[in-house]
Amino acid sequence: MGSGPFIAMELVEGESLGELLEREGGGSLPVEQVLELTNDLCVALDYAHKEGVVHRDVKLENVMLTSEGVLKLMDFGLAKALANPKGQTKMGVAMGTPGFMAPELVDRANTADERADIFSLGCILYVMVGGRIAFSGANVLEALKSTTEGRYTPLLELAPD
């Protein structure tokens, strides 16, 4: 066995939030479930932020629900330590997943702080309630432009209740 650095991670059995939404028919979830999942995700993000870490890739696939129903925030591969504002991110480099990334992550990922994760949380909440991604387009560039220009369908039009 090699002697280099390694990461040991917990094996999480369950499904991603995206898989849950697909299993539930691709639409919105019941309000009680949305509130519970949102609360649990807020707790996870609050913990990361208090530890000085901004995730920068909060999306449906990185939110896992264990077979016991416990929410886990996964994949900190794009995370940045808040104590190091410059981090390893180059200026002009996008970080994240279109449709869930905050506008500043499109071209100023090195400036991202907790607010970027909160924006992504809002995008997840939008999908859980509205049944579709808020910021989308025919291709990646259109989705990013939709995000930076703030173009989306108001949630009340998708879910008037």
XYZ file of all heavy atoms in Angstrom, residues 88-135:
355
model
N -7.339 28.532 -3.793
C -6.623 28.011 -4.956
C -7.345 28.373 -6.242
O -6.991 27.897 -7.298
C -6.505 26.480 -4.836
C -5.690 26.025 -3.644
C -4.247 26.471 -3.754
O -3.633 26.347 -4.798
N -3.705 27.003 -2.674
N -8.363 29.212 -6.156
C -9.186 29.535 -7.310
C -8.554 30.641 -8.128
O -8.154 31.664 -7.596
C -10.580 29.990 -6.849
O -11.080 29.032 -5.929
C -11.524 30.106 -8.022
N -8.498 30.444 -9.429
C -7.974 31.471 -10.319
C -9.094 32.432 -10.682
O -10.247 32.035 -10.813
C -7.416 30.837 -11.597
C -6.218 29.953 -11.352
C -5.754 29.345 -12.650
C -4.594 28.412 -12.400
N -4.178 27.726 -13.616
N -8.743 33.695 -10.881
C -9.726 34.682 -11.320
C -10.248 34.270 -12.696
O -9.506 33.746 -13.517
C -9.085 36.071 -11.403
C -8.582 36.562 -10.082
S -9.414 37.952 -9.340
C -10.236 38.818 -10.577
N -11.536 34.506 -12.935
C -12.133 34.213 -14.233
C -12.478 32.751 -14.439
O -12.807 32.349 -15.537
N -12.408 31.936 -13.379
C -12.725 30.515 -13.483
C -14.060 30.261 -12.805
O -14.282 30.686 -11.679
C -11.617 29.660 -12.815
C -12.011 28.194 -12.790
C -10.296 29.856 -13.533
N -14.963 29.559 -13.503
C -16.266 29.224 -12.928
C -16.126 28.026 -12.000
O -15.326 27.132 -12.243
C -17.268 28.915 -14.037
N -16.912 28.026 -10.920
C -16.916 26.926 -9.963
C -18.355 26.580 -9.627
O -19.092 27.439 -9.172
C -16.228 27.322 -8.658
C -14.760 27.465 -8.739
S -14.036 25.844 -8.554
C -12.334 26.263 -8.671
N -18.745 25.338 -9.850
C -20.076 24.920 -9.462
C -20.808 24.248 -10.603
O -20.216 23.839 -11.600
N -22.111 24.155 -10.442
C -22.965 23.484 -11.409
C -24.018 24.464 -11.913
O -24.760 25.030 -11.107
C -23.648 22.272 -10.742
O -22.633 21.389 -10.259
C -24.545 21.537 -11.720
N -24.072 24.704 -13.231
C -25.082 25.621 -13.771
C -26.472 25.241 -13.271
O -26.819 24.071 -13.181
C -24.957 25.425 -15.284
C -23.534 24.992 -15.476
C -23.221 24.139 -14.275
N -27.241 26.246 -12.943
C -28.575 26.037 -12.408
C -28.607 26.092 -10.896
O -29.662 26.292 -10.299
N -27.437 25.914 -10.256
C -27.359 25.931 -8.802
C -26.275 26.871 -8.290
O -26.210 27.137 -7.101
C -27.109 24.516 -8.257
C -28.241 23.581 -8.540
C -28.237 22.790 -9.671
C -29.348 23.528 -7.700
C -29.299 21.951 -9.958
C -30.407 22.693 -7.971
C -30.388 21.904 -9.104
N -25.428 27.361 -9.174
C -24.309 28.196 -8.729
C -24.705 29.664 -8.663
O -25.451 30.161 -9.495
C -23.084 27.986 -9.612
C -23.289 28.287 -11.069
S -22.002 27.597 -12.138
C -20.653 28.675 -11.824
N -24.185 30.332 -7.651
C -24.433 31.760 -7.466
C -23.763 32.540 -8.592
O -22.765 32.094 -9.156
C -23.888 32.204 -6.112
N -24.305 33.710 -8.935
C -23.725 34.497 -10.033
C -22.235 34.761 -9.881
O -21.495 34.712 -10.862
C -24.531 35.802 -9.995
C -25.814 35.452 -9.341
C -25.489 34.354 -8.366
N -21.761 34.998 -8.660
C -20.335 35.289 -8.489
C -19.457 34.082 -8.793
O -18.268 34.224 -9.081
C -20.031 35.826 -7.080
C -20.344 34.881 -5.953
C -21.752 35.016 -5.396
O -22.646 35.501 -6.121
O -21.956 34.615 -4.240
N -20.020 32.881 -8.752
C -19.248 31.689 -9.065
C -19.011 31.532 -10.560
O -18.177 30.739 -10.980
C -19.916 30.440 -8.508
C -19.955 30.321 -6.987
C -20.717 29.082 -6.564
C -18.558 30.317 -6.405
N -19.735 32.298 -11.371
C -19.571 32.206 -12.821
C -18.213 32.752 -13.250
O -17.518 32.134 -14.050
C -20.725 32.933 -13.559
C -20.477 32.974 -15.057
C -22.055 32.255 -13.252
N -17.807 33.893 -12.715
C -16.522 34.457 -13.153
C -15.641 34.988 -12.022
O -14.543 35.462 -12.266
C -16.752 35.565 -14.184
C -17.515 36.750 -13.630
O -17.936 36.718 -12.463
O -17.697 37.721 -14.381
N -16.128 34.901 -10.788
C -15.349 35.399 -9.653
C -15.416 34.397 -8.497
O -15.682 34.775 -7.363
C -15.898 36.754 -9.189
C -15.865 37.836 -10.218
C -16.417 39.158 -9.683
N -17.619 39.084 -8.876
C -18.874 39.010 -9.333
N -19.104 38.977 -10.616
N -19.896 38.978 -8.513
N -15.172 33.119 -8.781
C -15.309 32.078 -7.754
C -14.404 32.328 -6.562
O -14.719 31.922 -5.445
C -15.026 30.703 -8.357
N -13.305 33.035 -6.778
C -12.386 33.313 -5.668
C -12.987 34.269 -4.650
O -12.501 34.371 -3.537
C -11.048 33.845 -6.191
C -11.197 35.174 -6.906
O -12.157 35.384 -7.651
N -10.242 36.057 -6.716
N -14.075 34.982 -5.007
C -14.713 35.919 -4.075
C -15.852 35.275 -3.296
O -16.459 35.918 -2.443
C -15.276 37.149 -4.825
O -16.361 36.728 -5.670
C -14.202 37.832 -5.653
N -16.165 34.013 -3.590
C -17.326 33.355 -2.986
C -17.178 33.226 -1.474
O -16.111 32.933 -0.956
C -17.542 31.983 -3.600
N -18.289 33.451 -0.786
C -18.345 33.223 0.652
C -19.637 32.468 0.948
O -20.243 31.890 0.039
C -18.216 34.537 1.434
C -19.321 35.544 1.114
O -20.386 35.154 0.586
O -19.124 36.743 1.405
N -20.073 32.492 2.189
C -21.255 31.731 2.604
C -22.483 32.043 1.759
O -23.343 31.181 1.546
C -21.600 32.013 4.071
C -20.513 31.652 5.051
C -19.639 32.842 5.432
O -19.403 33.736 4.588
O -19.184 32.865 6.586
N -22.570 33.265 1.270
C -23.751 33.668 0.492
C -23.921 32.842 -0.776
O -25.040 32.622 -1.226
C -23.689 35.161 0.171
C -23.801 36.019 1.435
C -23.527 37.467 1.154
N -22.107 37.626 0.823
C -21.542 38.788 0.548
N -22.249 39.892 0.549
N -20.258 38.857 0.264
N -22.813 32.371 -1.355
C -22.906 31.529 -2.551
C -23.636 30.224 -2.226
O -24.474 29.755 -3.004
C -21.513 31.242 -3.114
N -23.320 29.635 -1.072
C -24.003 28.410 -0.659
C -25.480 28.673 -0.352
O -26.340 27.833 -0.647
C -23.330 27.803 0.577
C -21.975 27.194 0.275
O -21.644 26.967 -0.909
O -21.234 26.931 1.250
N -25.776 29.821 0.221
C -27.168 30.168 0.530
C -27.959 30.357 -0.762
O -29.112 29.932 -0.871
C -27.236 31.400 1.450
C -26.622 31.038 2.805
C -28.665 31.896 1.608
C -26.352 32.220 3.707
N -27.336 30.961 -1.773
C -27.970 31.095 -3.081
C -28.301 29.703 -3.635
O -29.415 29.455 -4.112
C -27.046 31.847 -4.049
C -27.638 32.064 -5.411
C -28.320 33.223 -5.715
C -27.494 31.094 -6.400
C -28.871 33.420 -6.976
C -28.035 31.283 -7.666
C -28.723 32.450 -7.956
N -27.327 28.788 -3.559
C -27.540 27.426 -4.053
C -28.643 26.712 -3.277
O -29.433 25.963 -3.856
C -26.238 26.632 -3.968
O -25.243 27.229 -4.768
N -28.696 26.947 -1.976
C -29.775 26.404 -1.158
C -31.124 26.897 -1.685
O -32.073 26.125 -1.809
C -29.596 26.814 0.306
C -30.772 26.562 1.243
C -30.982 25.066 1.457
C -30.556 27.261 2.563
N -31.197 28.176 -2.013
C -32.431 28.725 -2.595
C -32.790 28.056 -3.906
O -33.962 27.807 -4.189
N -31.787 27.734 -4.717
C -32.034 27.041 -5.986
C -32.590 25.636 -5.742
O -33.475 25.183 -6.467
C -30.747 26.972 -6.806
S -30.188 28.576 -7.433
N -32.087 24.968 -4.715
C -32.607 23.643 -4.355
C -34.040 23.763 -3.853
O -34.915 22.982 -4.235
C -31.698 22.965 -3.310
C -30.396 22.527 -3.962
C -32.403 21.780 -2.646
C -29.366 21.957 -3.011
N -34.303 24.740 -3.024
C -35.653 24.983 -2.521
C -36.608 25.253 -3.678
O -37.732 24.736 -3.711
C -35.639 26.148 -1.526
C -36.936 26.523 -0.856
C -37.525 25.350 -0.092
C -36.716 27.704 0.089
N -36.160 26.032 -4.656
C -36.963 26.331 -5.849
C -37.359 25.036 -6.564
O -38.517 24.858 -6.937
C -36.162 27.244 -6.780
C -36.916 27.762 -7.975
C -37.456 29.049 -7.974
C -37.080 26.992 -9.123
C -38.132 29.543 -9.078
C -37.755 27.474 -10.229
C -38.278 28.751 -10.209
O -38.957 29.235 -11.299
N -36.409 24.122 -6.743
C -36.701 22.850 -7.418
C -37.681 22.014 -6.599
O -38.626 21.441 -7.151
C -35.404 22.049 -7.680
C -35.726 20.661 -8.224
C -34.498 22.785 -8.638
N -37.474 21.958 -5.282
C -38.359 21.137 -4.446
C -39.789 21.658 -4.448
O -40.733 20.875 -4.364
C -37.831 21.071 -3.008
C -36.577 20.245 -2.853
S -36.155 19.874 -1.131
C -35.813 21.492 -0.443
N -39.956 22.966 -4.560
C -41.300 23.554 -4.543
C -41.866 23.692 -5.957
O -43.027 23.371 -6.206
C -41.282 24.938 -3.833
C -42.617 25.654 -3.974
C -40.912 24.778 -2.377
N -41.046 24.167 -6.894
C -41.523 24.455 -8.248
C -41.426 23.309 -9.225
O -42.019 23.360 -10.299
N -40.642 22.279 -8.889
C -40.548 21.119 -9.752
C -39.594 21.270 -10.921
O -39.518 20.382 -11.775
N -38.855 22.379 -10.974
C -37.868 22.552 -12.044
C -36.776 23.522 -11.598
O -36.949 24.260 -10.632
C -38.514 23.021 -13.334
C -39.026 24.444 -13.302
C -39.616 24.824 -14.645
N -39.591 26.266 -14.810
C -40.329 26.913 -15.678
N -41.147 26.256 -16.468
N -40.246 28.213 -15.774
N -35.682 23.514 -12.329
C -34.548 24.390 -12.023
C -34.906 25.829 -12.366
O -35.502 26.090 -13.414
C -33.299 23.922 -12.797
C -32.864 22.546 -12.294
C -32.162 24.921 -12.688
C -31.751 21.918 -13.080
N -34.549 26.751 -11.504
C -34.861 28.165 -11.722
C -34.076 28.757 -12.885
O -34.632 29.446 -13.737
C -34.579 28.967 -10.447
N -32.780 28.512 -12.901
C -31.900 29.117 -13.906
C -31.464 28.051 -14.892
O -30.625 27.216 -14.586
C -30.682 29.759 -13.229
C -31.065 30.801 -12.222
C -31.038 30.516 -10.872
C -31.480 32.053 -12.627
C -31.404 31.468 -9.937
C -31.851 33.017 -11.705
C -31.818 32.726 -10.353
